Amino acid sequence: MKAKLMEAMQRFSKAMFIPVLILPIAGILIALGNLLTNPKLLETVPLMNNPVTTGFGSILAGSLVSILGNLGLIFCVGITVGLARKEKPVAGFTALLGYLVFVHAMNKFMELSGRLVEAESLQGTGQTLVLGVQILDMGVFLGIILGIVTAFIHNRWIDTEFKGAFQIYGGSRFVFILLIPTVVLLAGVLMYIWPFFQSGIHSLGTLIQRSGSFGIFLYGALERLLIPTGLHHLVYTPFLYTSLGGVAEVGGQIYEGARNIYYAEIANPGVTRLSESVIWDARGISKMFGLIGACLAMYHTAKPENKAKAKAVLLPAAFTSFIAGVTEPIEFSFMFVAPLLFAVHAVFSGLSMVVLNLLDVRAIGPNGMIDFLLYNLPLGIQKTGWPLYVLVGLLFFVIYYVVFRFLIVKFNFQTIGREEKGQEVRLYSKKDYQEKKKRNREEGQASKETSDVAGVIVRALGGAENIQTVTNCYTRLRLTLVHPEKVDETVLKNETGASGVIIRDQNVQVVYGLQVTNIRKAVDRYLGRAGQE
């Protein structure tokens, strides 16, 4: 039961990546639109103050904010596609149809039972407009529920075929036939029970928010601690896109979730100060500053003969974390060889968010310096207080450096550059891999092309017959294996450039960093599963 539960959570976490990774693009474009209409910028650069530039900025920000009002639909389709084992495009289209059926079915149920509220504003009534249809306000949970239900029906019956005159109703058509009564019945049931969930979610959100600094610390620490399991997305997603992260009225509309509120506020020129809910999205201190201090500590504590190697490995990893917020290559370099350092890192991550909240800082940098510059500078100091964010970051840079250096020396942790003779504890960069290819050619071995690397990966995972599913997230190749004990971690790290391998029951994650998408595609082609999970 534990293994099945973990596998289900892993699959759901992977599926959440589809909508979650797309939404920040909308946020960046909203920030760009806000920049093009920023009064201070227009005063400083008069050339920008023209109808074309400001008009484009207004259209860009105004049109993309509409995405925030349809997150239920986005999550419904995204999760269905992520959970579908085959024919993913068909699954996504079916999810869209099911979503439309559900919305109108619930509206009719509420109309017939006299539950529709007649008011100029639906704020505080527990009801809202979804695609112009009045139903219970389920927020992003509606998309999550329908995505799971649709994916289950799709996976269970997509291969169903009939003979004779009924064969036209097989496959995806049969899935939709089953989905219609399911979502209609679900709409009727949720009409009665969802108000209780609404009350529970509201109470939980209130409890967390009233927990003050402790709640913020727990959130920030857990988000890091769950990285080895791959379930950390399940911690921050509810806060970013549901009422757990706050509820606010912006420009006459109600928004739920820290990220949604933030996007709405930065696009609204009438907002002079961002609300405190954005603190749930202020996870960038450890990424942009803290781990850089940790890297410097590992470099300074490396053995003299290994300094050059440590620098070559840590410098690109630190740069990627600072610029793009990709931290796993650094974290995996000490996560298993020095778990205490990882625990300290999680504590500092939570504390940094507490400090930002105490100082009333509203700046964010969830994905590194690029996000920080795009989101905060155009808004100005009054709206975000971004200079204090930088000062707090520099403070934690020093704290990370001092504490990591002390602990590494005190406990003689085998971090980068401190490995014993004959033992390698390192990140494998692209340069390392290219040098290995050169050595292979010199020894008369065939050059390792991408497909060959995929073959090495598959063999290190126990062979094609041992691999049930293959997916990927932002930095990890995620697999379900029949016999996980067959995994050869040494080959994965030394010959394919993996910086970490995590095995939890039948779920295996191999960390490759930003090149993971190309690696996943190569593995799919090698297995003959291109286009499938």
Side-chain angles (χ1 to χ4, degrees), residues 168-484:
I168 192 176
Y169 298 109
S172 60
R173 296 175 182 86
F174 186 62
V175 170
F176 183 54
I177 290 172
L178 292 177
L179 185 63
I180 293 173
T182 302
V183 297
V184 169
L185 179 61
L186 187 62
V189 171
L190 288 176
M191 180 186 68
Y192 289 101
I193 69 173
W194 188 254
F196 297 101
F197 284 97
Q198 278 181 323
S199 177
I201 293 170
H202 176 73
S203 299
L204 178 60
T206 302
L207 175 64
I208 292 173
Q209 291 171 1
R210 288 181 178 177
S211 298
S213 296
F214 176 74
I216 294 172
F217 166 77
L218 192 61
Y219 168 83
L222 279 177
E223 195 269 333
R224 292 290 92 188
L225 283 175
L226 286 176
I227 280 182
T229 68
L231 301 178
H232 51 298
H233 319 298
L234 302 185
V235 174
Y236 65 77
T237 300
F239 284 87
L240 299 190
Y241 300 110
T242 77
S243 56
L244 288 178
V247 179
E249 181 179 358
V250 183
Q253 295 189 30
I254 303 299
Y255 294 93
E256 297 181 349
R259 184 71 63 84
N260 303 331
I261 294 171
Y262 179 82
Y263 288 163
E265 288 179 338
I266 65 175
N268 191 316
V271 177
T272 57
R273 182 71 173 175
L274 299 179
S275 59
E276 64 180 12
S277 64
V278 302
I279 199 65
W280 301 111
D281 209 8
R283 297 168 289 132
I285 291 292
S286 62
K287 298 179 180 181
M288 295 165 53
F289 300 97
L291 286 176
I292 312 305
C295 285
L296 185 60
M298 288 189 281
Y299 171 72
H300 282 165
T301 55
K303 296 178 180 179
E305 65 271 19
N306 293 332
K307 289 280 188 181
K309 183 191 73 172
K311 180 179 179 180
V313 171
L314 291 170
L315 188 60
F319 181 78
T320 303
S321 178
F322 180 76
I323 294 296
V326 178
T327 61
E328 289 175 323
I330 300 175
E331 290 164 331
F332 275 89
S333 72
F334 59 78
M335 182 184 297
F336 299 112
V337 298
L340 177 60
L341 294 181
F342 187 69
V344 169
H345 165 50
V347 169
F348 286 167
S349 180
L351 286 177
S352 68
M353 293 180 58
V354 172
V355 173
L356 290 177
N357 190 54
L358 292 176
L359 294 176
D360 194 35
V361 177
R362 296 294 175 254
I364 67 171
N367 293 309
M369 180 56 69
I370 294 177
D371 275 9
F372 178 80
L373 295 175
L374 285 174
Y375 283 138
N376 303 302
L377 266 62
L379 299 177
I381 297 176
Q382 180 182 359
K383 213 167 187 177
T384 65
W386 64 263
L388 274 178
Y389 185 98
V390 176
L391 290 177
V392 172
L394 294 175
L395 172 64
F396 272 87
F397 169 84
V398 175
I399 292 174
Y400 266 80
Y401 174 78
V402 172
V403 174
F404 266 61
R405 181 165 185 166
F406 170 78
L407 292 176
I408 290 171
V409 174
K410 174 72 174 178
F411 296 101
N412 193 29
F413 288 136
Q414 303 299 295
T415 50
I416 300 297
R418 292 175 59 83
E419 58 270 15
E420 299 292 344
K421 181 178 292 187
Q423 177 188 8
E424 283 196 316
V425 181
R426 58 181 297 183
L427 298 173
Y428 285 86
S429 65
K430 184 177 181 181
K431 180 180 178 182
D432 296 324
Y433 177 62
Q434 290 174 337
E435 290 177 351
K436 182 174 181 61
K437 289 200 299 184
K438 182 179 179 181
R439 289 196 302 270
N440 288 337
R441 287 194 298 267
E442 291 174 350
E443 294 171 1
Q445 298 181 13
S447 177
K448 297 283 187 181
E449 302 294 339
T450 303
S451 59
D452 296 324
V453 175
V456 175
I457 293 173
V458 170
R459 288 190 292 275
L461 292 170
E465 66 282 355
N466 194 40
I467 301 174
Q468 291 182 319
T469 64
V470 182
T471 58
N472 71 279
C473 60
Y474 202 25
T475 57
R476 308 181 187 192
L477 190 65
R478 294 171 174 251
L479 311 107
T480 305
L481 303 185
V482 179
H483 301 291

